[in-house]
Amino acid sequence: MKHIFPLLLCAGLLGLFAACQSEADLRPKASATGQLMLGGAYAEPFASGTTRATQTVTDLSAFTFRLVGTDTDGQEVDQRITFQDNRCTLPTGTYTLHVDNYAAAIRGPGAPYYSGTTPSFTIVEDATQTLAIDLGSPKNARVDIRLDASFSELYENFSIAFEDAAQRRFRIYAPGSVYVMVPEGESIPYTLRATARKGTHVADLPAGGVSGTLTVQPGKAHPLTLSAQGIRDLLLLQFGEGTHAGEFDARPF
């Protein structure tokens, strides 16, 4: 009897070890991994005419990368990833990569907004998949505001206010460029304000400004010149697609 207890104890320990080993064998194994390497990114600039040339994008620091697909364990993947030295280690599987710089494109005066999804690619164990990214044309529009001498000689303290599709409110006081998200219908209402220069024959614009509409298209640069033209006894203010009647006093223009 004195030998039975040690035997039973050894048998119990062996059984416990076998049970733990079986449970470990049943646990899902971690996926094998491979590498994704960015082979380059290409984008089209804003077009002011009908021609457009693809350019290389050398700085992708403002872009986010989202991996979508299924790994070889059958798990669905939808997560943000980061690259170091243009490389990223990923579980083996088949994916697409969504790339965009929306956050940077709506900050301050904005930036060209690019967004796109790559064709499907496969990550193979211990191998490197090189992926080139075609960002296409910008998804927003660039508005280049210019002042013609015919306007600046008559008016000062001008401002142009409008709101884009991302509900960003712009109030512009000087010539320059801003990047706008294009709404459905591609029309953006604006309000123009200005005061008359002393010694000119024109009067201030109405206190509430004058309103009009900008027509903008994604991927296009829109040069919008603010000018004034005297026609007989009527002063026309031209800005983008809008033409507004100005006012002046009774002296000859």
Side-chain angles (χ1 to χ4, degrees), residues 139-141 164-166 180-188 216-219:
K139 302 297 188 293
N140 57 354
D164 72 356
V180 298
M181 295 298 175
V182 179
E184 289 186 23
E186 301 180 342
S187 293
I188 297 180
V216 294
Q217 294 179 310

Side-chain angles (χ1 to χ4, degrees), residues 115-198:
S115 175
T117 301
T118 68
S120 176
F121 60 90
T122 300
I123 298 297
V124 179
E125 184 175 5
D126 297 330
T128 298
Q129 170 71 54
T130 301
L131 186 67
I133 300 174
D134 183 1
L135 295 168
S137 60
K139 302 297 188 293
N140 57 354
R142 191 181 77 210
V143 179
D144 301 320
I145 298 172
R146 305 168 183 171
L147 282 185
D148 187 77
S150 63
F151 181 87
S152 57
E153 288 172 358
L154 297 174
Y155 291 96
E156 59 185 355
N157 302 323
F158 91 96
S159 70
I160 302 161
F162 55 85
E163 182 177 314
D164 72 356
Q167 298 183 329
R168 297 157 65 219
R169 295 182 178 180
F170 295 87
R171 187 177 291 276
I172 300 166
Y173 299 95
S177 297
V178 294
Y179 298 84
V180 298
M181 295 298 175
V182 179
E184 289 186 23
E186 301 180 342
S187 293
I188 297 180
Y190 70 84
T191 301
L192 168 66
R193 294 178 173 85
T195 56
R197 287 188 180 276
K198 292 182 179 180

